[in-house]
């Protein structure tokens, strides 16, 4: 079976089309003002409108309050909420109950001590995004183009599906999949020509490499 790909941080309809054409199974839209990939709720609604059935539209938020989540859920056709901040397991449960949508929780990994965080969320989230932990003082919790030691999650299995992220590119995604056994991968900066600017050719190359590796 081919690895499922998530192209995150989309903000241009041309790149949405490129991701769908390349076979991405998930499209990520960022609602975080500090990010160069940030989109407004209205713009995201336009971007999501023509995404075909079967491709999941994921709203990435960082420590979002209910006011923002209410707007996203009521004004777009989002399929999944991605919590990419310091949200607790209790907050994950709360968000799931409030909106009735699947929740993906991002967990930052820098070393062995961080791996235990995965267990805390594996029983409450619908999916996990296992990402490289942001450097101290970084403005962004993800999308920094850095990776972690993939051996820390090598052939690991948890109660819910998980997705590998952090510094993935068309050149290294096949190795990452082979080493970790990941069945899903996420990319943002690794398919950009500049921060926040996606590249159609890199999107296609990433999807092709991930699918061939699996």
């Amino acid at each position: 079976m081919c690895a499922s790909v998530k192209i995150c941080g989309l903000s241009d309809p041309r790149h949405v089309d490129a991701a769908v054409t390349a076979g991405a199974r998930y499209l990520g839209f960022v609602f975080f003002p500090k990010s160069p990939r940030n989109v407004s709720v209205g713009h995201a609604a336009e971007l999501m409108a023509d995404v075909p059935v079967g491709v999941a539209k994921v709203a990435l938020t960082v420590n979002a309050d209910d006011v923002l989540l209410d707007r996203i859920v009521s004004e777009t056709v989002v399929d999944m909420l991605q919590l990419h901040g310091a949200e607790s397991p209790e907050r994950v449960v709360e968000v799931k109950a409030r909106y009735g949508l699947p929740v993906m929780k991002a967990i930052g990994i820098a070393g062995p001590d961080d791996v235990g965080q995965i267990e805390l969320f594996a029983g409450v989230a619908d999916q996990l995004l296992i990402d490289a932990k942001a450097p101290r003082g970084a403005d962004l919790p993800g999308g920094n183009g850095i990776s972690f030691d993939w051996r820390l999650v090598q052939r690991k299995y948890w109660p819910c599906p998980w997705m590998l992220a952090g510094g993935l590119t068309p050149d290294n995604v096949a190795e990452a999949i082979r080493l970790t056994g990941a069945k899903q991968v996420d990319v943002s900066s690794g398919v950009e020509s500049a921060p926040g600017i996606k590249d159609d050719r890199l999107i296609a190359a990433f999807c092709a490499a991930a699918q061939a590796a699996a």
Side-chain angles (χ1 to χ4, degrees):
M1 178 180 289
C2 293
S4 295
V5 173
K6 175 169 171 275
I7 305 294
C8 197
L10 293 160
S11 59
D12 186 304
R14 179 165 58 91
H15 301 137
V16 170
D17 290 343
V20 171
T21 299
R25 295 292 302 277
Y26 302 83
L27 306 182
F29 303 90
V30 175
F31 300 88
F32 185 54
K34 291 184 178 180
S35 172
R37 305 165 187 97
N38 181 60
V39 292
S40 68
V41 175
H43 185 42
E46 294 174 355
L47 293 170
M48 294 180 190
D50 295 325
V51 174
V53 174
V55 179
K57 301 169 291 294
V58 183
L60 185 159
T61 64
V62 180
N63 303 320
D65 59 18
D66 290 345
V67 174
L68 176 57
L69 293 177
D70 285 351
R71 284 199 62 205
I72 293 170
V73 172
S74 64
E75 298 178 27
T76 75
V77 288
V78 67
D79 299 306
M80 179 180 290
L81 299 172
Q82 178 177 331
L83 307 183
H84 210 109
E87 299 90 357
S88 66
E90 293 75 18
R91 178 59 171 162
V92 172
V93 172
E94 184 180 78
V95 170
K96 287 177 61 175
R98 182 178 178 91
Y99 301 105
L101 289 172
V103 172
M104 178 186 294
K105 179 66 180 83
I107 299 168
I109 303 294
D113 292 343
D114 299 314
V115 177
Q117 288 290 313
I118 297 172
E119 299 293 344
L120 292 178
F121 291 94
V124 295
D126 295 284
Q127 294 212 38
L128 302 173
L129 182 96
I130 301 178
D131 199 358
K133 180 181 282 188
R136 187 178 298 275
D139 287 333
L140 305 179
N144 294 297
I146 60 174
S147 60
F148 64 95
D149 184 350
W150 295 324
R151 291 173 296 182
L152 293 172
V153 295
Q154 187 172 20
R155 304 291 167 181
K156 298 286 187 182
Y157 301 94
W158 292 284
C160 65
W162 64 280
M163 187 174 291
L164 182 67
L168 297 178
T169 69
D171 295 328
N172 68 13
V173 66
E175 178 187 0
I177 291 170
R178 284 192 291 265
L179 181 61
T180 65
K183 294 179 173 59
Q184 303 187 111
V185 289
D186 173 284
V187 66
S188 185
S189 62
V191 291
E192 292 180 346
S193 57
I197 307 300
K198 293 293 186 282
D199 184 301
D200 293 358
R201 291 172 297 178
L202 292 176
I203 289 172
F206 185 92
C207 290
Q211 292 157 0

